Amino acid sequence: IRDRAKATGEAIVVPLDKRNGTAVLELSNATNAAITVAATYRNINGSVASTTSYNLPAYSTIHVVADSILSTVLGSVSLDGSAASSVIAVGVHYSRDAAAELQNAYALFGREAKGTQYRSSYNTFLGQSCDLILVNSTSSDVTSFVTMTRYDGSIVANAEMVTTPANGVTNYDLCSKDTADRYGSVVVESSVADSITGAVVRHGAGESYQFATELQRFDHLSICGISPFC
C-alpha cells in the first residue's frame, strides 16, 4: 500500500471536483473500534461551506455526495480522525453522458500536507488537456512556483507564480502552456513548508476520460536551478 492510502489519525485534506459531474467523499474507518471524524468542507476561495462530524463503526465506510455542500465547482474537505491510524478518505469524481450513463471517474486520496517540493507530469498527446489542482491546508495564502520541462529539456514554464488562498484551491491550466503532442515533467515548489497538496488531472478529448497523477514529494533532491528560494 502506498503512503497516500495508509490510514491516519492526522489532519488530512481531500480535493473535491464537481466540474464535470459528481464529487463523492468515501470515508473509511480502518480500526476495530468506533471513531469520530471531524469534517470541514470549504469552497474554492477557502470559505467554509459546512462543518460536521461522522461517527464510523469499526471497519465501516460511508459515502457523502458533496455536490450540494459546496457552492463552487472545486473545493475540499479537511478531516481529522479521533484515533491514530484510523481514517482513509478518497474523493471520487464521476462524469455522466447525456443518457446519464457513467462516462468516466477518477479518485484523489486524502493526504497530509508535507514538504515544499513536488513533481508530476503532463501530456498533450491525443488531444489531452490537463490542469494542476493545488489545495492549501493553512490559514494564510501560499505562493507556489510551477516549472514545466518538456521531454527534450525545453523549459515550457519557468517558476510561474501561483497563489492559493488560505484553505482554498487553485486550478492552473498546465497543458495550454505547451503545444499538441508533447509531454514532460512538472515541478511545484511551495514557499511555505507543509502547506500544499495536489494533483495533475488529465482530461481526454471531449472529456472521454479523466485521471489524476498526484504530486509526489522530492524534498531530498535539489532543484536550485529553477528555485527562487535557493
Side-chain angles (χ1 to χ4, degrees):
I1 298 175
R2 299 186 67 175
D3 287 346
R4 68 186 181 188
K6 288 183 178 179
T8 182
E10 301 297 325
I12 58 175
V13 63
V14 183
L16 295 172
D17 177 2
K18 60 178 189 175
R19 289 176 293 177
N20 296 308
T22 295
V24 177
L25 171 67
E26 295 188 356
L27 186 61
S28 298
N29 175 6
T31 74
N32 62 359
I35 63 168
T36 299
V37 182
T40 301
Y41 292 86
R42 297 183 184 274
N43 295 312
I44 192 170
N45 64 358
S47 62
V48 175
S50 177
T51 57
T52 189
S53 62
Y54 301 109
N55 297 313
L56 275 68
Y59 301 124
S60 65
T61 297
I62 62 170
H63 297 78
V64 182
V65 178
D67 295 359
S68 62
I69 299 174
L70 301 176
S71 61
T72 54
V73 293
L74 285 172
S76 68
V77 57
S78 300
L79 303 167
D80 196 356
S82 60
S85 303
S86 60
V87 174
I88 297 176
V90 188
V92 183
H93 310 97
Y94 302 92
S95 295
R96 297 186 181 276
D97 61 20
E101 295 180 349
L102 184 65
Q103 184 177 30
N104 57 60
Y106 81 92
L108 290 171
F109 283 87
R111 304 174 75 183
E112 184 181 0
K114 286 290 187 182
T116 58
Q117 298 169 350
Y118 317 90
R119 62 183 170 188
S120 186
S121 62
Y122 74 95
N123 192 316
T124 64
F125 277 85
L126 302 175
Q128 289 184 95
S129 60
C130 61
D131 46 70
L132 171 66
I133 295 177
L134 296 176
V135 183
N136 178 2
S137 56
T138 75
S139 57
S140 300
D141 294 356
V142 171
T143 298
S144 301
F145 294 85
V146 179
T147 293
M148 299 170 61
T149 305
R150 194 183 296 149
Y151 61 86
D152 61 3
S154 303
I155 301 298
V156 177
N158 187 16
E160 293 200 1
M161 187 169 63
V162 178
T163 299
T164 306
N167 296 303
V169 181
T170 297
N171 180 36
Y172 178 82
D173 188 350
L174 285 174
C175 283
S176 67
K177 302 294 182 181
D178 209 346
T179 55
D181 300 334
R182 300 288 188 268
Y183 67 89
S185 64
V186 179
V187 170
V188 178
E189 182 160 6
S190 170
S191 60
V192 179
D194 304 339
S195 62
I196 293 293
T197 59
V200 175
V201 180
R202 297 189 191 178
H203 307 262
E207 296 296 337
S208 55
Y209 60 85
Q210 297 179 74
F211 66 91
T213 56
E214 296 187 46
L215 295 181
Q216 301 297 322
R217 287 182 63 190
F218 70 118
D219 300 54
H220 60 289
L221 300 178
S222 172
I223 57 170
C224 285
I226 59 125
S227 171
F229 303 113
C230 294

